[in-house]
Amino acid sequence: MEGAEEELERRSKFLKSLIQKKKTIEQQEQHDHLQHNNVRVRACDMPLPLQSRAFRCARDLLDSMPPKKLDSKRLALTLKKEFDSSYGPAWHCIVGTSFGSYVTHSLGGFVYFSIDKVYVLLFKTAVEPLDHS
Amino acid sequence: MLEGKAVIEDTDMPDKMQIQAMASAYEALDLYDVFDCTSIAAHIKKEFDTKYGSGWQCVVGSSFGCFFTHSKGTFVYFTLETLNFLIFKGASYLI
């Protein structure tokens, strides 16, 4: 009887770890799925790490917003501030469902992508020294 | 010819420059369809780069939010017909 209890516990632990692994795999697949299917780069002149940073930041914030309610301004603010503090001034961000733009940007500081049904334009411009005249 | 009138929503631009912004917008809307936001924005930006030096940015559309850093005295946001217009110069000043 003691041996039977040990065997049951061993099997129980094995099953639990199996279930946990399956959940982890499913979560990873869902993550990849979301990334792959919901973020699409439309135009870009930006190193990959910065791109990934922008996508992750946008994804996290959109997920935290109530479904079907887009706060363009908040997303634009969040992205601009994150990039200003991480990669230096001055970044600009436009978010929306219907706009066109024409901009001049710094080399390596431009990405235009869509995530869900929102379009995001994030770009950097040069910083000029203060005129002391 | 457009019958609508531009309405300034927010600005720190000199009056003369504001007038130029709205004139450029009217001009662009005569040249391009109201749905061609990118061409409208391009026209206005190029006009400002030519008249006031390079580095201008322009966003045109019916649904967008944004955050940006602009040079002092170079920002205007106005509406005309069904569109919103944002024009600013993108450099920022540092000490």
Side-chain angles (χ1 to χ4, degrees):
Chain A
M1 183 61 71
E2 195 173 62
E5 284 179 0
E6 284 177 359
E7 178 64 13
L8 277 177
E9 183 164 347
R10 190 184 68 82
R11 291 189 185 189
S12 175
K13 283 182 179 178
F14 175 75
L15 283 176
K16 282 181 181 176
S17 74
L18 206 63
I19 291 168
Q20 185 56 47
K21 282 180 184 175
K22 190 168 191 290
K23 280 184 180 178
T24 303
I25 290 169
E26 281 174 353
Q27 282 169 3
Q28 184 60 46
E29 282 175 354
Q30 181 171 350
H31 177 78
D32 291 342
H33 181 79
L34 284 172
Q35 287 293 312
H36 184 260
N37 285 277
N38 288 304
V39 176
R40 193 172 154 187
V41 179
R42 308 287 175 163
C44 188
D45 170 30
M46 185 181 270
L48 279 173
L50 275 72
Q51 286 182 53
S52 300
R53 181 75 171 265
F55 302 157
R56 189 171 61 252
C57 183
R59 181 79 264 162
D60 289 348
L61 192 58
L62 286 175
D63 285 346
S64 73
M65 288 178 180
K68 300 191 188 292
K69 175 153 187 174
L70 169 68
D71 190 346
S72 299
K73 218 171 192 180
R74 185 175 158 211
L75 179 50
L77 170 61
T78 302
L79 275 168
K80 177 209 168 19
K81 286 201 168 182
E82 176 151 332
F83 272 66
D84 270 348
S85 58
S86 299
Y87 306 108
W91 290 85
H92 317 275
C93 187
I94 296 106
V95 176
T97 56
S98 176
F99 68 91
S101 64
Y102 205 81
V103 304
T104 301
H105 66 83
S106 298
L107 195 63
F110 172 86
V111 66
Y112 178 55
F113 64 96
S114 62
I115 177 167
D116 295 344
K117 294 178 181 177
V118 185
Y119 289 80
V120 180
L121 172 63
L122 177 66
F123 66 101
K124 188 181 192 186
T125 58
V127 169
E128 293 174 354
L130 181 64
D131 186 354
H132 288 287
S133 65
Chain B
M1 193 59 193
L2 286 174
E3 296 177 14
K5 184 176 182 180
V7 176
I8 301 281
E9 302 284 353
D10 196 2
T11 183
D12 73 341
M13 237 182 214
D15 288 347
K16 201 169 182 180
M17 203 177 278
Q18 287 177 43
I19 293 169
Q20 176 61 52
M22 290 183 280
S24 296
Y26 282 122
E27 199 172 280
L29 286 171
D30 281 343
L31 291 170
Y32 304 105
D33 189 83
V34 75
F35 298 105
D36 193 357
C37 294
T38 303
S39 297
I40 294 167
H43 180 84
I44 297 169
K45 179 254 193 309
K46 290 173 182 174
E47 194 90 345
F48 267 67
D49 277 349
T50 301
K51 286 183 158 61
Y52 303 107
S54 62
W56 289 86
Q57 323 290 353
C58 185
V59 184
V60 178
S62 59
S63 178
F64 65 90
C66 56
F67 262 85
F68 54 94
T69 302
H70 67 85
S71 299
K72 186 178 179 182
T74 70
F75 153 69
V76 65
Y77 177 67
F78 61 96
T79 60
L80 173 56
E81 293 293 338
T82 57
L83 295 176
N84 301 301
F85 294 77
L86 170 69
I87 304 168
F88 66 96
K89 200 176 192 194
S92 69
Y93 293 117
L94 291 183
I95 302 299

